[in-house]
Amino acid sequence: MKVAVFSTCAYDEDFFKQFNTGHELSFFAVPLTDQTVSLTNGFEAVCIFVNDQADAVVLNKLHENGVRLIALRCAGFNNVDLIKSKELGIQVARVPAYSPEAVAEHALALILTLNRKTHKAYNRVREGNFSLERLMGFNLHGRKVAVIGTGNIGKAFCMILKGLGCIISAYDPYPDESLKSLGITYGTLKETLLDADVVSLHCPLNDDTFHLINSETLTLFSKGAMLINTSRGALIDTASVINALKSGQLGYLGMDVYEQEGKLFFRDHSEDVIQDDLITRLISFPNVLITSHQGFFTQEAMEQIATTTFKNIDDFAAGVVLTNSVIGI
Ligand code: NAD
């Protein structure tokens, strides 16, 4: 099949070329938007990532151009208008689980870096500064960690926390029985966030979870708590989080995703004047650590993303039911 792969970087091309099962791939560095959708003329499938747009306008043009499959090379599908794609008969497949440990371990990396300040120690020691002033952290052992969403990634994260000796409380509309049997307690969102020392988000972005962390829910956290978001940027109301950091209600913020990341992430903007005042304000805090959506970025996860994406394309080409279909058509 002819497949247009959008938002590609060199590492995407490497893995896709290595695991290609015989399709004709064209790589486009630009994201899929209403400005770039014309590139899809003559392609039967598009392969897109987290910040590509498949809204109604783009979907109509994809359909006109002959595209019949959207192969998401990620788990989340909040950027696809599923009602419209179903109406147009465009199938949507995703990679439902690819090394959930990759993202869970990145959440832990953010926690430990913010807490034990190893990034600051690294720079200090290189400059001959061996002082411990302002490097003090806290033991994670015995701390209350709230996990919001205990699907593939949240569950892997809970298993890591278990090993660290944290007290884990969780919120998920569909609690996981195996986690309950390990002593993880489920409650309402409010009960789970109440007095939490660390809050980590692992739920999808949808109408129910948009700005789940806002000026009201932030007051439930223990004073000086740490917030970690490796899920989707819009789970957090960034302006409220900035206020909570300024007041000290929030003591630390680790984020791998950002509501407006589409304009910034995955590209080098080091010579540009960044126009987004919220992210520049966040970068200015000493207790904020931002990574640019790299939670998934391990060797194992990239292999699984490539192999599952080609399985989805192969299934579509063979006319069999897509096991990883998002909309079930
Ligand atoms: P998943 O579908 O396995 O799990 C999501 C869980 O969230 C489910 O158990 C679901 O019941 C729960 N949930 C749904 N609505 C909820 C709500 N309102 N409140 C609390 N929980 C709710 O997904 P996953 O593979 O664990 O991925 C979780 C999220 O992580 C994805 O949606 C995606 O946005 C994000 N993600 C980020 C990266 C990264 O590189 N940073 C990589 C992969 C996935």
Side-chain angles (χ1 to χ4, degrees):
M1 276 180 59
K2 285 188 75 179
V3 185
V5 190
F6 282 87
S7 294
T8 55
C9 294
Y11 47 81
D12 295 303
E13 289 197 30
D14 288 348
F15 278 88
F16 270 58
K17 282 177 181 161
Q18 195 183 337
F19 292 96
N20 188 0
T21 49
H23 301 283
E24 197 182 317
L25 308 177
S26 295
F27 296 100
F28 299 107
V30 290
L32 177 66
T33 64
D34 55 349
Q35 306 291 306
T36 61
V37 67
S38 55
L39 293 167
T40 63
N41 205 357
F43 288 90
E44 298 157 276
V46 292
C47 177
I48 63 171
F49 197 44
V50 292
N51 293 323
D52 292 295
Q53 287 166 25
D55 55 20
V57 174
V58 171
L59 286 167
N60 273 326
K61 290 188 183 152
L62 286 175
H63 189 258
E64 274 170 37
N65 286 350
V67 171
R68 294 293 176 266
L69 172 69
I70 295 176
L72 286 153
R73 55 180 192 280
C74 53
F77 46 85
N78 51 287
N79 50 343
V80 182
D81 182 335
L82 295 178
I83 295 169
K84 188 72 189 172
S85 53
K86 190 166 186 172
E87 188 188 307
L88 293 169
I90 298 178
Q91 299 215 45
V92 183
R94 65 177 180 139
V95 184
Y98 50 92
S99 185
E101 291 79 15
V103 184
E105 289 171 18
H106 190 71
L108 177 71
L110 293 176
I111 292 173
L112 289 176
T113 308
L114 279 168
N115 177 12
R116 304 307 297 265
K117 304 172 180 65
T118 43
H119 55 320
K120 296 186 182 184
Y122 174 83
N123 284 323
R124 278 192 192 188
V125 169
R126 284 167 67 89
E127 290 183 3
N129 177 356
F130 297 90
S131 155
L132 298 186
E133 294 295 340
R134 299 182 308 283
L135 291 185
M136 190 159 60
F138 58 87
N139 280 12
L140 280 167
H141 186 96
R143 292 283 175 161
K144 180 179 172 184
V145 184
V147 181
I148 310 303
T150 53
N152 291 304
I153 296 169
K155 188 171 177 176
F157 183 65
C158 286
M159 302 308 288
I160 293 172
L161 296 177
K162 236 5 233 171
L164 291 168
C166 299
I167 300 162
I168 310 162
S169 59
Y171 171 67
D172 193 307
Y174 303 96
D176 183 291
E177 292 306 318
S178 64
L179 288 179
K180 276 189 186 172
S181 65
L182 290 174
I184 289 159
T185 53
Y186 280 89
T188 61
L189 178 64
K190 197 173 170 184
E191 286 163 351
T192 306
L193 294 178
L194 194 64
D195 297 330
D197 298 305
V198 178
V199 174
S200 194
L201 306 177
H202 300 287
C203 56
L205 173 63
N206 55 37
D207 290 346
D208 292 339
T209 59
F210 177 77
H211 287 188
L212 182 104
I213 302 299
N214 52 48
S215 55
E216 273 177 38
T217 49
L218 279 159
T219 61
L220 298 167
F221 299 16
S222 135
K223 188 160 175 67
M226 181 186 289
L227 173 62
I228 301 293
N229 187 9
T230 56
S231 196
R232 282 292 180 269
L235 295 177
I236 287 182
D237 173 16
T238 310
S240 300
V241 164
I242 289 173
N243 285 335
L245 284 162
K246 283 163 81 176
S247 74
Q249 171 58 18
L250 196 59
Y252 311 81
L253 170 67
M255 50 184 238
D256 187 47
V257 285
Y258 172 56
E259 187 166 1
Q260 306 301 335
E261 70 178 50
K263 296 191 187 100
L264 290 171
F265 283 15
F266 306 121
R267 300 278 174 249
D268 181 357
H269 292 285
S270 55
E271 297 300 321
D272 302 340
V273 174
I274 294 176
Q275 300 296 327
D276 182 327
D277 291 347
L278 289 182
I279 199 154
T280 49
R281 182 69 179 99
L282 283 174
I283 292 167
S284 77
F285 287 98
N287 49 354
V288 171
L289 178 57
I290 302 172
T291 53
S292 49
H293 212 136
Q294 71 178 79
F296 72 98
F297 199 45
T298 66
Q299 178 83 25
E300 292 82 355
M302 290 298 284
E303 274 189 38
Q304 286 172 12
I305 288 170
T307 50
T308 308
T309 301
F310 284 116
K311 184 196 176 313
N312 292 340
I313 297 170
D314 289 346
D315 284 353
F316 178 84
V320 299
V321 174
L322 294 182
T323 40
N324 296 318
S325 171
V326 179
I327 48 178
I329 56 166

